[in-house]
Amino acid sequence: MNFKDAVAGLSGRLAKAKARPDLAEEATKNAVILPFLGMLGFDVFDPQEVMPEFTADVGMKRGEKVDYAVAIDGKIQFILEAKPLNCSLSSAQYSQLYRYFGVTEVHIAILTNGAEYWFFTDIDAPNKMDEKPFFKFSLEAWDDNDLRELEKFTKAAFDIDQVQETASALKYTRLAASYITAQMQDPDDDFVRLVGRSFYDGNLTAKVVETLKPNVKRAFDDILRQRVRQRLEVALGDDEAESDPQPATPSRKDDIQTTEEEWRAFYIIRAIGSEVTDAANITLRDAKAYCAILFGDNNRKPICRLFLEGATKSVVFFDAEKNEERVYVDGADDLYKYKERIRDVVGKYANAAP
């Protein structure tokens, strides 16, 4: 079994564990976390390699424990703190992990609830755990890039120097992405001036900057559209994309007509979804009241519902647990704004598929 298959298998195991909403911390460890460490190549039955309830004296505290310490060739390489499966890591307390990190020689700490794994190191200050993780891995939504990063933590591949180098790169990439995303949504004056210098010959006064700001924002939107359109062409084939055919919709009644805008929205969603699954898995099923976009033509796996006819247009998005949220849009092109949401639910369906 290759690494990708092993991760997919563990994702299926997680889905079964989540069927029990009352799963406590110890049960979470046994159901998912220990198998996760085993998947990374560690012998969870060897107490010299995977050390449960690892104890040390931390400052004035005696007998401070961390859930697991993991060693390679007798040297502890990372520590892990476990939370129950129903615990949100965003609101979790992990002061023990933070304190323990500061008095050991480890440079990697993991916080997990069995579904998500947050990886921390000490980029900002030596021997002091960073406040934010440099890498997050979710068993419910992962892609090949995530797998490549996770594989660096396997016993066979683990190299602390390479991991820290990767951590630094991921941190700065995340910060850069955060800045660029903010500029895409609302470019500030300094950014508009930076871009404006490349094409505007006059003096970039405050009034000129304010005039150029909508153009810079639109340029971002155009770039995003072009990238998605390129993926669409790859997903459908150049000839098919150019002729813009309409795929067959099962069980359609004669009086139901899928509009051009609905087809456009479908192609946009299919292009976005093709980043994490085969494009053929994204299907359209039209109805009188709305147009449904489904995963695998399965109405139990809805991606969204389109309400694009009439003056008021909207889209109802679903997550993998079937929770709904309606957003109002001007048209199909607004779906580019919800790229991450579409990608996330498609990825979760894809990873849960048998």
Side-chain angles (χ1 to χ4, degrees):
M1 181 183 296
N2 62 32
F3 189 62
K4 185 173 184 177
D5 290 338
V7 173
L10 189 56
S11 295
R13 187 187 185 101
L14 171 67
K16 293 179 180 178
K18 291 194 74 172
R20 291 183 52 191
D22 59 337
L23 210 63
E25 183 177 311
E26 286 303 315
T28 300
K29 292 177 184 177
N30 294 327
V32 190
I33 296 173
L34 284 175
F36 179 85
L37 293 175
M39 182 188 69
L40 295 181
F42 296 99
D43 185 351
V44 298
F45 300 107
D46 182 353
Q48 300 301 313
E49 191 163 286
V50 178
M51 309 172 199
E53 297 296 313
F54 194 71
T55 306
D57 296 331
V58 180
M60 298 299 292
K61 288 182 174 288
R62 299 294 175 180
E64 188 83 350
K65 293 181 179 181
V66 66
D67 288 306
Y68 296 103
V70 180
I72 299 176
D73 296 330
K75 182 178 180 180
I76 298 175
Q77 297 292 351
F78 56 86
I79 53 178
L80 182 149
E81 182 168 344
K83 298 295 181 183
L85 190 55
N86 59 5
C87 174
S88 169
L89 295 189
S90 299
S91 57
Q93 296 295 320
Y94 47 97
S95 55
Q96 281 179 293
L97 193 65
Y98 188 87
R99 288 196 300 268
Y100 201 93
F101 191 96
V103 296
T104 64
E105 294 182 358
V106 298
H107 296 282
I108 301 295
I110 302 173
L111 177 68
T112 180
N113 60 5
E116 291 184 84
Y117 295 79
W118 290 10
F119 293 77
F120 297 82
T121 188
D122 53 353
I123 296 173
D124 296 333
N127 301 317
K128 183 179 179 181
M129 194 176 92
D130 296 339
E131 292 185 3
K132 294 183 179 180
F134 67 87
F135 174 51
K136 295 181 181 181
F137 183 84
S138 171
L139 279 172
E140 297 177 295
W142 46 267
D143 57 23
D144 289 344
N145 288 330
D146 295 327
L147 287 184
R148 281 192 288 271
E149 296 304 329
L150 182 64
E151 200 162 8
K152 295 174 183 177
F153 296 92
T154 59
K155 181 180 177 181
F158 191 85
D159 181 326
I160 187 59
D161 292 332
Q162 182 186 31
V163 168
Q164 287 189 300
E165 190 175 305
T166 298
S168 180
L170 288 173
K171 174 187 176 181
Y172 295 127
T173 299
R174 185 185 69 243
L175 292 173
S178 177
Y179 172 75
I180 292 171
T181 299
Q183 297 307 316
M184 290 176 68
Q185 295 172 347
D186 185 19
D188 60 35
D189 291 353
D190 289 339
F191 186 82
V192 174
R193 285 192 180 91
L194 176 66
V195 176
R197 291 191 193 103
S198 67
F199 62 84
Y200 189 81
D201 295 329
N203 186 19
L204 289 166
T205 63
K207 184 176 181 180
V208 171
V209 167
E210 196 62 32
T211 301
L212 293 179
K213 191 172 290 189
N215 302 101
V216 173
K217 188 175 186 305
R218 177 166 293 188
F220 269 126
D221 292 339
D222 288 346
I223 291 170
L224 183 58
R225 289 191 185 96
Q226 289 169 14
R227 292 293 299 273
V228 174
R229 189 173 294 115
Q230 288 169 359
R231 288 189 176 275
L232 174 63
E233 291 172 356
V234 171
L236 301 180
D238 290 342
D239 293 339
E240 189 177 355
E242 288 173 7
S243 59
D244 196 31
Q246 298 179 353
T249 304
S251 305
R252 286 186 59 191
K253 298 179 180 178
D254 291 339
D255 58 343
I256 298 175
Q257 296 296 323
T258 306
T259 68
E260 182 178 344
E261 182 123 34
E262 288 170 337
W263 284 120
R264 179 171 177 78
F266 166 71
Y267 287 134
I268 290 171
I269 295 167
R270 173 178 271 193
I272 294 170
S274 69
E275 296 180 15
V276 292
T277 190
D278 190 312
N281 287 329
I282 314 297
T283 58
L284 179 149
R285 190 182 298 183
D286 209 348
K288 286 186 177 181
Y290 58 82
C291 181
I293 309 299
L294 308 173
F295 183 89
D297 197 29
N298 187 339
N299 60 14
R300 289 175 295 181
K301 295 183 178 181
I303 299 169
C304 64
R305 289 176 181 170
L306 307 174
F307 299 83
L308 299 179
E309 296 186 41
T312 303
K313 304 181 189 336
S314 66
V315 178
V316 172
F317 286 105
F318 295 83
D319 61 21
E321 286 71 43
K322 313 298 186 301
N323 298 310
E324 302 180 19
E325 182 181 357
R326 183 184 294 271
V327 299
Y328 292 91
V329 298
D330 292 330
D333 284 351
D334 277 2
L335 287 165
Y336 291 113
K337 300 175 182 177
Y338 304 97
K339 177 177 181 290
E340 292 304 320
R341 182 178 297 191
I342 294 167
R343 183 179 176 277
D344 181 62
V345 68
V346 171
K348 286 180 179 179
Y349 285 144
N351 292 328

